[in-house]
Amino acid sequence: MRYGVFGDVHANLPALQAVLAALRAQRVDGWLCLGDLVGYGADARACVERVRELDPVLVGGNHDWAVAGRLDLDWFNLAAREAIVWTQRVLPREHIEWLGSLPLLHEHDGITLAHSTVHDPEKFDYLQTPYDAFESFRQMRTTRGFVGHSHVPITFFEGPAITYSMESPLQLGPARSLSNVGSVGQPRDEDPRAACGVYDTSTQVLELLRVTYDIGAAARAIRAAGLPDILAERLHLGR
Ligand code: ZN
């Protein structure tokens, strides 16, 4: 299988459309989605519809669960909270219930998906350090794992010491691995282009893609929706 891997869409339709086109051009034949379809951005309904059409293997994120009332809003900063409340207003009930039904951890085809960490998915901690990866490897039952949430692309490898790589393409090889392919709709590694990945199960190669998209259109939609300006601004900065 060639999986298109993506997550942290955050209701950014121009970014999602660009990513799906780039992944289709890579001839992917399956989809892995790491959650957070909504929150921050202004295209909640269209993004949920596009992702549901793909019928991906997917997990839910903290923003998805918050919109569905499964996570306390105190958990979020002010701008994020405003976007969640706005999303609850504009998203049809049926989509909200669907978001709330998404699991936080899922195994498929020898691959574990989690939005935050494999070891404590309901705590929504970031998997950012070798120690975080060590904790998740202890709970992970598969060879491969993908996470989202930090919006920063990186792969950790299990071994006598945990190592990591940010290279692409990356041969994942025999060691167990946990990868983050970055965020579609709100990159935070100071590269404002949308991020996603292609994982080929036969070659075991993970390729990270960066895709240019119409950031101005996404920012205008956020301002037109009356959402906090910072949510528009940060898209241009990639953080
Ligand atoms: Zn996110």
Side-chain angles (χ1 to χ4, degrees), residues 9 12 20-21 37 69 87 104 142 165 167 175 177 182 187 194:
V9 174
N12 183 337
L20 295 183
L37 307 186
T87 305
L104 299 182
T142 59
S165 173
E167 275 167 45
S177 62

Side-chain angles (χ1 to χ4, degrees), residues 20-231:
L20 295 183
L23 290 173
R24 285 194 173 104
Q26 293 280 326
R27 304 174 325 280
V28 303
D29 48 14
W31 303 94
L32 305 177
C33 178
L34 283 315
D36 270 3
L37 307 186
V38 297
Y40 299 133
D43 303 308
R45 181 177 186 157
C47 286
V48 170
E49 284 171 356
R50 291 301 162 285
V51 172
R52 289 187 76 171
E53 281 160 17
L54 298 174
D55 194 21
V57 180
L58 107 147
V59 288
N62 49 319
H63 291 257
D64 303 322
W65 270 34
V67 163
R70 293 191 71 178
L71 189 63
D72 202 292
L73 293 191
D74 290 345
W75 201 90
F76 297 88
N77 68 42
L78 221 58
R81 214 180 298 169
E82 247 184 82
I84 288 163
V85 171
W86 177 88
T87 305
Q88 289 170 331
R89 271 206 334 264
V90 301
L91 203 58
R93 191 72 238 160
E94 198 262 330
H95 286 330
I96 291 178
E97 281 166 13
W98 178 77
L99 290 174
S101 75
L102 299 177
L104 299 182
L105 193 64
H106 186 69
E107 282 178 22
H108 172 85
D109 194 12
I111 302 168
T112 298
L113 301 186
H115 180 69
S116 59
T117 68
V118 178
H119 57 282
D120 261 333
E122 71 292 340
K123 278 197 186 159
F124 298 108
D125 292 330
Y126 295 101
L127 201 162
Q128 284 177 310
T129 69
Y131 186 73
D132 303 332
F134 169 77
E135 294 257 75
S136 274
F137 279 129
R138 285 209 306 197
Q139 295 300 318
M140 192 167 92
R141 301 185 298 187
T142 59
T143 305
R144 299 283 164 249
F146 289 96
V147 296
H149 198 42
S150 73
H151 299 200
V152 175
I154 190 165
T155 290
F156 292 97
F157 292 102
E158 192 178 41
I162 306 277
T163 57
Y164 67 89
S165 173
M166 296 160 102
E167 275 167 45
S168 172
L170 185 62
Q171 170 59 246
L172 298 183
R176 297 207 303 157
S177 62
L178 264 166
S179 304
N180 189 325
V181 300
S183 165
V184 171
Q186 197 195 75
R188 289 181 195 159
D189 58 350
E190 303 194 358
D191 179 345
R193 294 175 299 169
C196 60
V198 177
Y199 175 57
D200 189 317
T201 55
S202 56
T203 62
Q204 303 202 61
V205 170
L206 173 66
E207 190 171 351
L208 301 175
L209 309 182
R210 295 310 282 255
V211 187
T212 53
Y213 74 97
D214 191 345
I215 297 176
R220 279 194 298 280
I222 286 170
R223 293 191 170 109
L227 289 165
D229 202 65
I230 179 71
L231 298 177

